[in-house]
Amino acid sequence: GRRCGIVSNNSATAIRHYLVEHELDEFVSVISGRTPGQPDLMKPSPVPIWRALGTLGAGTAGTVLVGDSVSDLKAARAARVGCIGFANKPVKWNRFSGADLMIDDMSEIANVLSRGA
């Protein structure tokens, strides 16, 4: 019952193709990719997060960004949304010290959501 969006510095078209190819597109309500020719609007700018929130009709309260880079953490803080640091490499545990929560396996999120938390 939760809506999910992707906020990325990659092309929305490339992301969409990936989701379709892997049959994941039905789970993603919005994709906020980079704006061609405007690198200043890429993360760590909060603008792509705000675009996604606007499309979803959602506010910042109760919203969380799952990110695997410092620019994700900075963008989440600037947008005033929660941040889960995805430490997919051991060195990232220290880089994400400002995240609200740290994980090293995406299944942790799926497990929590399946319990209705």
Side-chain angles (χ1 to χ4, degrees):
R2 291 179 173 91
R3 292 177 299 162
C4 174
I6 294 177
V7 176
S8 177
N9 285 343
N10 294 310
S11 157
T13 302
I15 296 164
R16 201 170 293 108
H17 285 298
Y18 177 89
L19 293 173
V20 168
E21 183 176 321
H22 295 278
E23 299 179 359
L24 298 169
D25 54 310
E26 68 181 281
F27 302 109
V28 178
S29 300
V30 63
I31 300 168
S32 180
R34 70 171 170 248
T35 303
Q38 294 186 297
D40 56 313
L41 298 182
M42 294 168 59
K43 295 178 290 178
S45 167
V47 170
I49 297 171
W50 291 336
R51 276 197 318 247
L53 290 173
T55 302
L56 289 168
T60 57
T63 297
V64 64
L65 178 97
V66 179
D68 68 346
S69 71
V70 173
S71 67
D72 291 331
L73 175 63
K74 289 179 179 178
R77 290 292 170 243
R80 297 187 183 351
V81 300
C83 183
I84 297 175
F86 176 46
N88 54 351
K89 297 175 185 169
V91 69
K92 291 186 178 184
W93 283 95
N94 291 332
R95 291 184 190 162
F96 294 146
S97 61
D100 298 308
L101 180 68
M102 294 289 298
I103 60 170
D104 61 6
D105 186 336
M106 292 296 278
S107 66
E108 293 178 57
I109 293 173
N111 291 337
V112 169
L113 292 175
S114 70
R115 291 192 305 260

